[in-house]
Amino acid sequence: MATRRRDAGAIFALALAARIAVVAWAAGRFPPTADGTYYHRIAERIAAGLGYTWLWPDGVVTYAAHYPVGYPGAVGALYAAFGARPAVAMLLNAVVGALAALAVHRLAIRAAPRSRAIPALSGALVALHPGLVAYTPAVMTEGVTGSLVACAAWASARARERRPALAPFAVLGLLVGAATLVRPQALLLAPLFAGLALLGAPRGDGARLRGSFAARAAPVLVTVLAALLVCAPWTARNCARMNQCALVSVNGGWNLLIGADPASTGAWAPIQVPEACREVFDEAGKDACFGREARRYIAEHPGAWLGLVPRKLAATFDYCGAAGWYLHAANPAAFTEDDKVALGAVETVFERLVLLCALVWAARKPAPMPDAVPPPHPDDRARGPSLAQRALVPARLALFALGVVAALHVHAWVGYLALLGLALLQGRALLRAPMLALSALAVLAATAATHAVFFGAGRYALVAFPLLSGLAALAAARQSPEPPRAGAPLPASGAPSAPPLGRGSNDELL
C-alpha cells in the first residue's frame, strides 16, 4: 500500500506541477474574459464584504444570482485572504484540478487492482490532459466542476465498499452539493452516483440491503438531502433577496430560451427577448418569464425543438477548444490565432484517442462475475444462445464501428452516444462494472442530456473529461471486478472476486 500511496502522491504532484507551470506563464498575461469577467467582479465584491451584488453603470446596486455562487464565492474568500488578483483564482483552479487526477487514480486502483500501470496511466491522462491543463488560467467553472465530480465519483466508490453504512453516502452528497453550487445541473449526479453504488452491490451485500423500501432508499435519500443541505443557505438567501426562490441561480430560463431558438446553431447566442418579457426588469422575474416563453415554444413546436438536439450535442462534443478560445479572447497578442488552432489540434487528437480507447473498453465482453447466475443446464447449451444473445454480437460490432468512424470524423458526438450504447449492451453486467466506468458513463449521459435540453458549448464537455480519460486507460486492463469490501461476505462460490491486494489493502483504498 505504501507503493500505491507514493504513486498517488506522484500523480497529484505531476498534475499540480503542470498546472502551476501554466499559471506561472499565464498570470500576468491573461485577464479574466467572457464569463470570467463576471466571476472575477463578483468575487471582488464578495471579498470586499459587499456580498453577491452587482453595481450597475447608473450607480444602482442590486442583489444578483444570475451566475451560480459556488465558484465566485470560493474565489472571493481567497481574494479576501490573498488579494483580488486573477492569479489567485488560477492557483485555486490548479489545486482543484490536480485533485481530479488523484481521484481518478484512486478509482482506477479499484478498477484494476492487479495492476500498478493502469492506475498510473489513468491518473497521468488526467494530470497531463492538454485541454484541462491549458484551461487552468481560465477564471471559469468547468474545470473545477469536473474535478469536484471526479472527487464525488471517488466518494461513491468508497460508499460502494462500505455499504450499508450511510455516512459515506452523506460525504458523497456533500461533494455533489459543492459541485451543484458551482454548476446546478450537477445535482443530477446525487441520485445517480448513490444509485450506482447500490446497484453494483455484490450479492452478499445485496442480501443485507434488501428489506423495506425505506431501508433500500435510505442511501439515495441521504445523498440527495446532503447535497440539498449544502445548497440550502444559498437557496434561503435567494428566496429572501431575489423575490423568488431558486436553488442556486436564476439563469435556467435564459439558457432554455437560448436553446429553443429555431435559428440556433446549438451553441450560445444572444438571447431573443420575447415580447411578453420586454417590460420585465427584475432579474429573477425575467428569468422566469424567459422560462415560460421557452416552454411555450417547446410545447407548440416539439419537432422543431427536438431537431435542434444534434446541433447542441455537436456544439458540446465535436470540438472543445475551450482553453485556446479563452486564452486568445483574453489576450490575442500573447496567444495568437495560430496558437489557438495548434492547441485545439493537440487537444482534439488527445480527446479522440481517449474516446477510441473508451470504445474499446465498452466493446469488450464483460468479465464473468463470481456471483453470477449458475452455469446453464446442459440442455440449454445444446440449444445454443438465444436469438437476442445472437443479435447482440452484430449490434456491438455496428455500434463500435459507428463510434470509431465518428471519433475519426468531425461529429464526435455520435461516437460518445455510441459509447453509451455499447455500455448499455453489456446489460446487467454493466451494473457491476468498476465505479470509474459507471461514473464516467453517468457523467457523460448527464452532460449530453443537459445540453440537449439547453444549449451546447465545447467547454461544457470538460466536466466529463477527467473520468472519461480514466476510463480510456481501462481499455488496457484485464476485465476483472473490483475487490470485495473488507469484511464483506464472499460470493456463493466461496472464491474472492479478485486476489487480495495485500494486508489491510481494502481499508487503505482511500
Side-chain angles (χ1 to χ4, degrees):
M1 274 299 106
T3 299
R4 291 186 182 276
R5 291 184 184 278
R6 284 196 298 270
D7 289 347
I11 289 295
F12 178 79
L14 175 66
L16 186 61
R19 287 157 175 77
I20 287 180
V22 172
V23 170
W25 164 74
R29 293 182 172 91
F30 300 99
T33 191
D35 287 355
T37 302
Y38 299 99
Y39 289 126
H40 175 67
R41 289 178 182 172
I42 293 166
E44 285 182 317
R45 296 186 65 78
I46 291 173
L50 301 173
Y52 192 160
T53 56
W54 192 256
L55 173 63
W56 296 93
D58 61 1
V60 174
V61 175
T62 60
Y63 289 100
H66 182 78
Y67 290 94
V69 69
Y71 183 67
V75 173
L78 293 176
Y79 280 2
F82 303 106
R85 297 183 298 275
V88 174
M90 296 179 188
L91 287 172
L92 171 65
N93 296 347
V95 174
V96 177
L99 286 175
L102 174 63
V104 169
H105 177 265
R106 303 309 294 179
L107 284 164
I109 288 176
R110 293 163 166 82
R114 297 180 178 88
S115 173
R116 183 181 178 189
I118 296 301
L121 177 60
S122 292
L125 288 174
V126 181
L128 301 177
H129 190 297
L132 296 171
V133 173
Y135 200 60
T136 304
V139 186
M140 304 282 274
T141 63
E142 292 79 17
V144 169
T145 304
S147 296
L148 289 173
V149 166
C151 290
W154 180 12
S156 183
R158 289 174 58 79
R160 190 186 209 188
E161 295 160 358
R162 287 158 175 77
R163 56 185 177 249
L166 295 179
F169 287 92
V171 173
L172 167 61
L174 295 177
L175 285 168
V176 174
T180 301
L181 287 176
V182 179
R183 285 183 72 79
Q185 54 266 47
L187 185 62
L188 293 172
L189 299 175
L192 279 177
F193 279 4
L196 291 174
L198 293 174
L199 290 175
R203 290 193 179 181
D205 274 2
R208 298 166 63 189
L209 290 170
R210 286 193 292 269
S212 68
F213 173 79
R216 297 196 304 272
V220 177
L221 291 175
V222 166
T223 303
V224 173
L225 288 175
L228 292 175
L229 182 64
V230 173
C231 302
W234 189 250
T235 303
R237 176 267 188 192
N238 287 340
C239 294
R241 300 298 189 186
M242 300 304 298
N243 302 319
Q244 181 175 306
C245 289
L247 178 67
V248 176
S249 58
V250 289
N251 61 2
W254 286 70
N255 295 338
L256 188 62
L257 185 60
I258 291 171
D261 184 350
S264 172
T265 63
W268 180 90
I271 196 164
Q272 304 299 313
V273 180
E275 186 64 34
C277 305
R278 292 188 184 277
E279 300 302 320
V280 180
F281 300 103
D282 174 74
E283 182 174 299
K286 185 174 285 291
D287 182 68
C289 185
F290 286 167
R292 285 193 302 271
E293 291 302 300
R295 290 189 294 272
R296 182 183 61 79
Y297 172 82
I298 293 168
E300 294 175 356
H301 306 88
W305 181 71
L306 289 173
L308 296 173
V309 169
R311 299 184 199 176
K312 297 174 184 179
L313 294 179
T316 304
F317 293 111
D318 283 356
Y319 172 71
C320 180
W325 158 77
Y326 184 94
L327 295 172
H328 179 68
N331 189 344
F335 202 82
T336 66
E337 182 70 22
D338 289 343
D339 295 330
K340 182 176 77 169
V341 171
L343 176 58
V346 171
E347 180 185 346
T348 300
V349 169
F350 185 97
E351 287 156 6
R352 298 301 177 88
L353 289 173
V354 164
L355 174 56
L356 287 170
C357 291
L359 286 165
V360 170
W361 173 85
R364 293 165 63 183
K365 183 179 179 181
M369 300 305 300
D371 57 345
V373 295
H377 190 274
D379 291 342
D380 295 332
R381 290 196 186 99
R383 285 194 294 267
S386 67
L387 180 61
Q389 290 171 327
R390 290 197 296 268
L392 284 178
V393 175
R396 283 197 184 100
L397 289 175
L399 274 177
F400 180 71
L402 177 64
V404 169
V405 170
L408 300 175
H409 197 260
V410 174
H411 293 303
W413 69 272
V414 177
Y416 286 106
L417 294 188
L419 170 61
L420 292 174
L422 272 173
L424 289 174
L425 286 181
Q426 294 186 14
R428 294 178 63 85
L430 177 63
L431 300 178
R432 306 196 179 207
M435 187 55 69
L436 173 56
L438 290 174
S439 59
L441 295 169
V443 173
L444 175 59
T447 301
T450 298
H451 296 291
V453 172
F454 295 98
F455 63 86
R459 59 193 171 99
Y460 299 149
L462 284 169
V463 173
F465 285 167
L467 291 169
L468 283 175
S469 298
L471 173 61
L474 298 188
R478 294 181 60 185
Q479 295 278 60
S480 61
E482 296 179 82
R485 175 176 56 86
L490 292 176
S493 64
S497 59
L501 301 180
R503 182 176 62 85
S505 60
N506 291 315
D507 290 333
E508 297 183 22
L509 274 178
L510 301 177

